[in-house]
Amino acid sequence: MKNLFTILFLFVLSTLFAQNEKLFERLQAIDNAGLTFYEVDGINISSQTLNYKFTDKKLKKVYRKYSIKKKDKKTTDTNLKYKNYYVSKIDLITENLTQNSSYYFLENKDKRTTIIQFGSINKKDKKFERRMVKLIMENKIPKKCYNSLVIDSINFVNRKIKLGNNCQWQNVNNVQCPYNGQMSWSVHKELKDAENTVEQQFEITKSKKGGKVISEEIVEIVFEGAKTKAKKVIYDFTGITSVLANMSGGKTLTIYYVASEVRDNYVSCVLSFWNNDRITKDGLTRLLEEVMTLKK
């Protein structure tokens, strides 16, 4: 019986290890002076530890910092082994899109308060959130998942792309290169989730004030060496006062929305450039050409 228990225990450990390894292949992170951002499966996550004891009095200050109101329901997640309070919020972005936000306020091993926040659209996975909370609280996310704040190269779905030192992070898995375009991406467990994510991002683009979609079409492309299709959109700022447009000097933004299988993973990717960026003879910019070409 003892041997059977040992075998079962080792099996559970090996299964958890394999699951985490697959997660770590998709997960990317950036640490910025103690505020850490993560991205995986189209879910945005952040964590921060504040020098406040985990007491009701001190937590009031923490709640204010995270815009948690007195009326917001605070519960305890008994599935977590840490002292905690949990808050869930739902906000309507459009008629079809719902922003789900989860806040975990936890007591760490130093008796200070760690806040872990999750943001996702049209989905919520409490089991996944608990798993990430445990990995973050126990410092079990490997270094390979972290990106340097200063960009020299990026890890694009387990392929290193060298970009030089003229590009900046806009968020995790979101890089912008002046006059050479911008792209953001997420690595997903399933293709359907990647497809849903790019559709949601397009819906958000259409709902934004300050501009309008003037054209939309499906085009054939080669993305990371594989033939696929993308939604090509022209977004117009002409005649509209826009800080973003004024800063770039551009009038229209060309955007490609792609969901595709890449190296045994599934990727959602949004790629864009301004009309006054350095557009190549093939109709893209240098950053976009690192991962895609237009099929002729």
Side-chain angles (χ1 to χ4, degrees):
M1 181 62 72
K2 186 176 180 181
N3 288 337
L4 178 60
F5 175 80
T6 302
I7 291 169
L8 289 173
F9 179 72
L10 291 174
F11 174 76
V12 170
L13 282 181
S14 64
T15 301
L16 288 173
F17 178 79
Q19 289 175 345
N20 281 342
E21 280 303 301
K22 288 182 179 179
L23 172 64
F24 297 150
E25 287 180 5
R26 306 193 307 275
L27 179 69
Q28 291 288 287
I30 296 175
D31 182 72
N32 187 2
L35 178 57
T36 307
F37 301 92
Y38 311 84
E39 205 285 336
V40 63
D41 296 336
I43 302 169
N44 291 301
I45 309 161
S46 68
S47 70
Q48 183 179 31
T49 296
L50 299 177
N51 194 27
Y52 289 119
K53 290 185 178 180
F54 195 80
T55 63
D56 289 340
K57 182 179 178 180
K58 295 295 185 182
L59 281 170
K60 288 179 181 178
K61 296 181 180 180
V62 180
Y63 294 150
R64 284 197 295 270
K65 182 177 175 67
Y66 280 82
S67 301
I68 303 298
K69 311 290 186 188
K70 191 174 182 179
K71 65 179 181 180
D72 293 326
K73 186 178 180 182
K74 304 167 188 70
T75 60
T76 297
D77 189 336
T78 56
N79 289 281
L80 296 171
K81 65 180 182 181
Y82 326 96
K83 287 183 181 179
N84 73 88
Y85 289 106
Y86 167 77
V87 176
S88 178
K89 288 187 177 185
I90 298 174
D91 297 295
L92 201 63
I93 302 174
T94 71
E95 185 179 339
N96 301 313
L97 300 180
T98 299
Q99 171 76 40
N100 294 294
S101 301
S102 297
Y103 302 81
Y104 292 82
F105 301 90
L106 308 116
E107 183 182 56
N108 68 12
K109 63 181 181 179
D110 299 317
K111 307 297 182 182
R112 294 298 184 260
T113 301
T114 295
I115 306 95
I116 302 176
Q117 181 179 353
F118 296 82
S120 57
I121 296 175
N122 284 11
K123 62 183 178 182
K124 186 177 178 67
D125 187 341
K126 197 73 183 291
K127 186 177 178 181
F128 168 78
E129 290 179 1
R130 292 183 183 121
R131 181 181 174 193
M132 280 298 300
V133 165
K134 183 178 179 181
L135 290 170
I136 293 170
M137 291 293 285
E138 297 180 8
N139 197 27
K140 288 186 175 179
I141 296 176
K143 290 182 178 179
K144 69 177 183 179
C145 295
Y146 288 85
N147 296 279
S148 171
L149 273 176
V150 179
I151 296 179
D152 170 69
S153 60
I154 60 173
N155 175 5
F156 187 77
V157 202
N158 299 320
R159 178 171 78 90
K160 185 176 181 179
I161 301 177
K162 197 151 182 76
L163 296 178
N165 57 8
N166 196 37
C167 301
Q168 303 89 31
W169 291 116
Q170 303 300 303
N171 204 334
V172 184
N173 288 355
N174 186 335
V175 64
Q176 193 269 336
C177 301
Y179 296 102
N180 283 311
Q182 180 172 346
M183 70 176 186
S184 63
W185 69 96
S186 185
V187 185
H188 301 256
K189 188 165 51 175
E190 299 171 350
L191 179 59
K192 186 62 179 175
D193 192 39
E195 291 171 342
N196 288 341
T197 296
V198 292
E199 282 302 316
Q200 291 159 5
Q201 289 168 330
F202 174 55
E203 184 79 17
I204 290 171
T205 299
K206 287 196 299 183
S207 70
K208 285 183 181 295
K209 296 180 180 178
K212 61 181 179 179
V213 172
I214 59 172
S215 74
E216 170 189 344
E217 63 177 320
I218 301 299
V219 297
E220 294 186 340
I221 67 169
V222 177
F223 187 76
E224 285 293 90
K227 294 178 182 179
T228 187
K229 293 181 179 180
K231 179 173 288 188
K232 178 184 178 182
V233 169
I234 307 295
Y235 193 79
D236 183 34
F237 290 92
T238 304
I240 307 281
T241 301
S242 167
V243 173
L244 185 62
N246 289 339
M247 285 175 61
S248 72
K251 297 297 183 182
T252 61
L253 194 64
T254 299
I255 312 170
Y256 292 91
Y257 298 86
V258 186
S260 180
E261 183 176 356
V262 176
R263 291 182 284 279
D264 298 321
N265 287 290
Y266 302 104
V267 181
S268 61
C269 192
V270 179
L271 310 100
S272 63
F273 59 86
W274 291 96
N275 62 290
N276 64 338
D277 280 351
R278 299 187 186 106
I279 301 169
T280 69
K281 61 182 176 62
D282 294 317
L284 298 172
T285 59
R286 286 179 59 192
L287 176 62
L288 273 63
E289 286 185 338
E290 291 287 350
V291 299
M292 69 173 279
T293 56
L294 299 172
K295 193 175 176 186
K296 297 178 180 180

